[in-house]
Amino acid sequence: MDELEIFSVIAFDGITRNALGVHPDEEHLLYPMGNKVTIKNAKTGEQFFLAGHTNFVSAMCISPKGNFVASGQVNHYGFKAMVIIWDFATRKIKSKYEMHKVRVEDVCFTSDEQYLISLGGMDDGCVVVWDVQTETPICGITPPSNTIIFFFCFYRKLFAGTFAGSEIFGNATIIARTNISGRHFITAGDRTMKVWSIDDKNRKVQGIDVKIGKLKRTINCAVVDENDEFVYCGTTSGDIIKARLNIQEPGKFSAMIGCYSKVPKCTKSEREVFFGGVRNLLFLPNKKLIVGAGDGTVEWIEITEHPSPVKGKSKKNLMVTPCIVTRRSADVCAAVTSLVHYKNGLILVGTALCEIHEIELSSFRTRLIATCHTHAIQAVVFPRNCSEIFATAGKNDIRIWKLATPKELLRITVPNFSCSSLCFDITGGSIISAWNDGTIRGFATNSGQLVFAINCAHTKPVTVITITNDGCKLISGGCDGQIRLWHAKTEARHLLNVMKEHRGPITSLEVSPDNESFISSSLDGTCVMWNLRTLERKFTLRGDTMYAATCFVPDGTQVLTCGSDRNIAYWETLDGSMVRQIEGSTTGTLNTISISPDGQYLLTGSDDCILKFWDYRTANVLRVGLAHAAAITGGAFAPSGKFIVTISADGAIIIWKYPFETSVSSDDSDRKSDCKTDAKVTS
């Protein structure tokens, strides 16, 4: 079956360490997005997705020459985690293996691209060296049969990898490759750091601990200089360890040179550290060292040869020397998780808030080039008769996006609360939202300023909000099962009526095209059709399901429902009789259903991450969308009938091209209303 064509994807998994990568051709950016790896052309914006993982990607690496891409994933307890090596040119899987338990913590290629090193998580703790060309582990031993339990336990380390941590201290969490030698690499973590050598002839891997004396540190990141002489390690304590590798001199062990803190600006201060710990390090030519900290600070530093004397230094800090001098500094407002060199004089910074910043090294000026939601998105909506912008909502904020670019135009932040539903007023001048603190809030579309707030609108969280077609009334539904009608024109937005028919949380509210009635759905297995004038119940739709979404067809003769039974149901609005029922998904609950403006096509999204595009009359699936990496939570057709926007539980927004010619009239599609916004503010 043909797939829907993707126009753009707004997603970036910034929480994963070293999630952002730049291909050596400096044209492609790579980053994980759920269970896929995204390859994006920085010039054209074209995107390609590497699909093969069964769960979220936890580690990613690009080979030094750019021929291969490696990625590791997370899996459920008791199962092996997969590592995949991709051929970058063909965008296909070259090889894969499952030798780590539960989680792959980090992956890294050697400098000559001959081997891939992968590191397991805390449930595994082993390092595996994989020959990329022969597609075999370096140990070359096949796991024994299930009957030889004793020998399986004895030789476990050979075919499951070598233990990367220390028996005395904690587990290793990161890998750093050398730049010249293709047979050495470094692992580090909780009070442990080792230099490893690969023996090709004997097919063995040997690790030697770096001597750091009595110093106890948890290492977040490590980077080797261009000559393989020194390794710099950032710690959770906010200081930097420098160690000499000595890998080119047989018989000499690697040892720490010093542990350095920042030169204090104040003479009374004993020492200064990077707040939030040193999260990432980047070594640039001419011995430039870039530091990314947990508080969002990005600094270009130098480690001086002559430490600054500090009076009154205590014995506790005797081993930490203030030698770090800051040359340039910038702030990206969130913990730094990725640092990569991009073209001449530029670096890209990925943050835990799923943002990508561009920093110019000469001036250290910062520019935000990409952003997305950090949590599950609960709602997506277009203004009436306007396709230029759309709004999404989730935990902490509401965001308004420009469809054509797509760029974030406006961010409205309400800390510590989650928005579950949105709707624009009929002019597009304000956006009305439902929040889990029981409050309904209205914001100006062009500035993000709070226009009104209905406090204690429901005794429990407000789950859904909508507005009538004439813009006179607001309809809200809550977790308490109540539906409340509010006057939308007055400043007070006073309560008009309360309707209590449902016994479970309200999941959707839809007003009929003629503005005479509206339908509500609930998790209690009922949908109620209401008379909007008398506010009386017309009839009730019942099913063996928890209804998740409803929608009216454009002519108002039928209503469509979907829910946990994975079926799509057609109902007559005249008497509530069921006309048709079809299977919408074979495995996942249907979370959303919407119909195109011309009434010819349907859109459904489910927990199995599959988006389906249906013919309304024949109920045949015409197209599918497979790009989402998590449960699809919502979808909407652009009023112009040219694009489709879908959202998912991993915070991704995907814009799809409409697969067929639209029959929406040009008068409707070109109507601008008052939905434009050029503001870039945060409330």
Side-chain angles (χ1 to χ4, degrees):
M1 185 176 293
D2 295 337
E3 294 188 19
L4 286 167
E5 184 180 355
I6 296 175
F7 175 72
S8 181
V9 177
I10 306 172
F12 169 61
D13 185 5
I15 299 176
T16 303
R17 184 175 57 240
N18 296 323
L20 180 63
V22 176
H23 194 268
D25 63 8
E26 295 187 340
E27 291 186 0
H28 294 88
L29 303 179
L30 288 88
Y31 49 86
M33 188 190 75
N35 60 6
K36 297 177 177 63
V37 176
T38 304
I39 301 176
K40 180 179 180 179
N41 191 308
K43 293 182 178 180
T44 64
E46 182 183 1
Q47 294 172 317
F48 187 86
F49 304 97
L50 304 178
H53 287 285
T54 58
N55 211 322
F56 289 98
V57 175
S58 58
M60 190 203 72
C61 179
I62 307 170
S63 64
K65 300 177 183 178
N67 295 321
F68 307 107
V69 177
S71 55
Q73 71 171 62
V74 179
N75 210 343
H76 303 288
Y77 286 101
F79 295 89
K80 298 285 187 178
M82 184 187 303
V83 177
I84 299 179
I85 302 175
W86 310 85
D87 189 298
F88 182 80
T90 61
R91 309 291 203 267
K92 294 182 179 179
I93 296 177
K94 176 177 174 57
S95 60
K96 59 183 179 180
Y97 60 90
E98 295 181 355
M99 301 181 71
H100 295 289
K101 293 181 179 179
V102 184
R103 178 185 176 91
V104 178
E105 197 69 41
D106 202 1
V107 290
C108 182
F109 286 94
T110 54
S111 59
D112 57 2
E113 297 187 349
Q114 184 173 349
Y115 299 108
L116 172 71
I117 303 104
S118 59
L119 182 64
M122 61 181 299
D123 298 286
D124 182 77
C126 293
V127 61
V128 171
V129 180
W130 183 266
D131 194 314
V132 177
Q133 300 302 326
T134 62
E135 301 182 1
T136 57
I138 190 66
C139 56
I141 295 178
T142 306
S145 62
N146 294 331
T147 57
I148 313 178
I149 303 298
F150 174 77
F151 291 101
F152 176 88
C153 297
F154 183 78
Y155 288 106
R156 174 185 176 273
K157 289 187 178 181
L158 292 178
F159 52 76
T162 306
F163 188 66
S166 172
E167 294 179 358
I168 300 176
F169 303 121
N171 294 325
T173 55
I174 61 165
I175 309 172
R177 65 165 169 254
T178 53
N179 297 309
I180 299 176
S181 173
R183 299 297 176 269
H184 292 85
F185 62 94
I186 296 99
T187 61
D190 182 15
R191 295 166 293 169
T192 178
M193 181 164 57
K194 286 185 178 182
V195 177
W196 299 79
S197 59
I198 303 173
D199 188 347
D200 299 77
K201 296 181 180 180
N202 300 319
R203 301 187 66 81
K204 291 182 179 180
V205 181
Q206 183 179 6
I208 300 176
D209 289 310
V210 177
K211 297 180 179 180
I212 58 175
K214 296 182 179 180
L215 190 70
K216 296 180 181 181
R217 289 290 187 274
T218 299
I219 297 174
N220 284 330
C221 54
V223 62
V224 180
D225 71 349
E226 52 194 0
N227 298 319
D228 290 353
E229 294 180 0
F230 305 102
V231 59
Y232 300 86
C233 304
T235 70
T236 56
S237 303
D239 42 34
I240 296 176
I241 296 174
K242 182 179 180 181
R244 187 182 298 276
L245 291 177
N246 292 325
I247 59 177
Q248 304 297 339
E249 301 180 18
K252 288 189 176 182
F253 296 99
S254 302
M256 182 185 71
I257 296 176
C259 182
Y260 306 121
S261 63
K262 299 171 70 174
V263 174
K265 298 178 182 179
C266 178
T267 56
K268 296 182 180 181
S269 177
E270 187 172 318
R271 64 168 182 157
E272 288 187 10
V273 296
F274 293 94
F275 293 103
V278 178
R279 295 293 188 92
N280 219 290
L281 290 170
L282 177 64
F283 198 88
L284 298 177
N286 301 324
K287 297 183 179 180
K288 289 183 179 179
L289 188 61
I290 309 297
V291 177
D295 63 346
T297 302
V298 180
E299 293 186 0
W300 167 24
I301 67 166
E302 287 185 6
I303 298 178
T304 60
E305 296 181 359
H306 305 287
S308 301
V310 178
K311 297 181 180 180
K313 181 185 288 187
S314 64
K315 294 183 179 180
K316 181 180 179 181
N317 297 324
L318 189 62
M319 300 184 67
V320 182
T321 309
C323 289
I324 298 175
V325 179
T326 301
R327 299 302 182 190
R328 294 280 194 279
S329 180
D331 187 10
V332 294
C333 304
V336 177
T337 56
S338 301
L339 278 174
V340 289
H341 186 217
Y342 180 61
K343 297 182 179 180
N344 294 326
L346 296 175
I347 60 173
L348 296 182
V349 182
T351 71
L353 287 181
C354 300
E355 296 178 339
I356 301 176
H357 297 261
E358 182 184 83
I359 297 180
E360 186 179 352
L361 288 175
S362 59
S363 61
F364 248 67
R365 287 184 297 183
T366 303
R367 184 170 70 94
L368 179 65
I369 62 174
T371 182
C372 65
H373 283 275
T374 57
H375 300 85
I377 308 175
Q378 304 295 338
V380 57
V381 64
F382 280 91
R384 294 173 185 263
N385 304 320
C386 177
S387 300
E388 291 186 354
I389 63 172
F390 66 93
T392 56
K395 186 177 180 180
N396 296 327
D397 56 33
I398 299 170
R399 304 192 187 198
I400 298 179
W401 309 84
K402 189 173 182 179
L403 181 64
T405 332
K407 295 290 184 180
E408 180 184 302
L409 299 178
L410 177 70
R411 187 185 306 182
I412 303 167
T413 303
V414 182
N416 304 321
F417 294 112
S418 180
C419 180
S420 57
S421 181
L422 293 172
C423 70
F424 284 91
D425 65 3
I426 59 173
T427 64
S430 63
I431 186 167
I432 305 163
S433 54
W435 297 82
N436 65 345
D437 62 344
T439 303
I440 298 173
R441 294 179 174 92
F443 300 94
T445 307
N446 58 354
S447 64
Q449 296 298 318
L450 181 67
V451 177
F452 70 89
I454 306 175
N455 298 315
C456 300
H458 287 259
T459 57
K460 293 183 178 181
V462 187
T463 56
V464 63
I465 188 78
T466 190
I467 191 169
T468 56
N469 297 330
D470 57 7
C472 294
K473 298 180 180 65
L474 290 176
I475 309 173
S476 64
C479 281
D480 52 7
Q482 291 186 4
I483 299 170
R484 299 192 173 190
L485 198 70
W486 309 85
H487 200 296
K489 292 294 185 180
T490 60
E491 293 184 1
R493 269 85 180 179
H494 59 271
L495 181 65
L496 297 177
N497 206 332
V498 178
M499 291 154 280
K500 177 63 176 174
E501 289 285 345
H502 296 288
R503 297 184 178 181
I506 309 298
T507 56
S508 71
L509 290 169
E510 292 290 330
V511 180
S512 64
D514 59 6
N515 208 44
E516 294 292 329
S517 58
F518 71 94
I519 190 169
S520 60
S521 65
S522 173
L523 295 180
D524 63 0
T526 62
C527 290
V528 178
M529 184 71 73
W530 304 87
N531 188 312
L532 192 53
R533 292 187 177 182
T534 63
L535 302 181
E536 296 178 350
R537 182 185 62 188
K538 287 185 175 181
F539 51 80
T540 301
L541 311 179
R542 300 183 184 274
D544 190 14
T545 180
M546 293 185 290
Y547 288 107
T550 61
C551 70
F552 280 94
V553 299
D555 60 9
T557 58
Q558 290 184 346
V559 65
L560 310 175
T561 62
C562 67
S564 60
D565 62 351
R566 307 189 300 274
N567 291 328
I568 303 171
Y570 294 53
W571 307 82
E572 289 287 351
T573 56
L574 182 63
D575 56 1
S577 60
M578 182 184 291
V579 179
R580 175 190 287 175
Q581 183 169 297
I582 56 175
E583 185 180 47
S585 174
T586 57
T587 57
T589 298
L590 292 177
N591 298 320
T592 179
I593 186 169
S594 55
I595 192 165
S596 61
D598 57 11
Q600 296 185 25
Y601 306 104
L602 294 178
L603 189 73
T604 60
S606 56
D607 281 347
D608 58 8
C609 312
I610 299 177
L611 181 71
K612 292 185 178 180
F613 189 83
W614 305 74
D615 185 281
Y616 167 69
R617 297 188 181 278
T618 63
N620 294 327
V621 179
L622 304 178
R623 297 285 192 276
V624 294
L626 305 176
H628 276 290
I632 300 172
T633 55
F637 285 91
S640 64
K642 296 181 179 179
F643 294 99
I644 301 167
V645 179
T646 55
I647 56 176
S648 58
D650 60 351
I653 304 170
I654 300 183
I655 304 173
W656 313 80
K657 291 183 179 179
Y658 202 74
F660 306 111
E661 291 292 333
T662 179
S663 59
V664 178
S665 64
S666 59
D667 294 339
D668 292 337
S669 61
D670 295 337
R671 196 177 303 167
K672 303 297 183 182
S673 72
D674 296 321
C675 67
K676 290 185 179 180
T677 176
D678 296 322
K680 295 182 180 180
V681 300
T682 300
S683 298

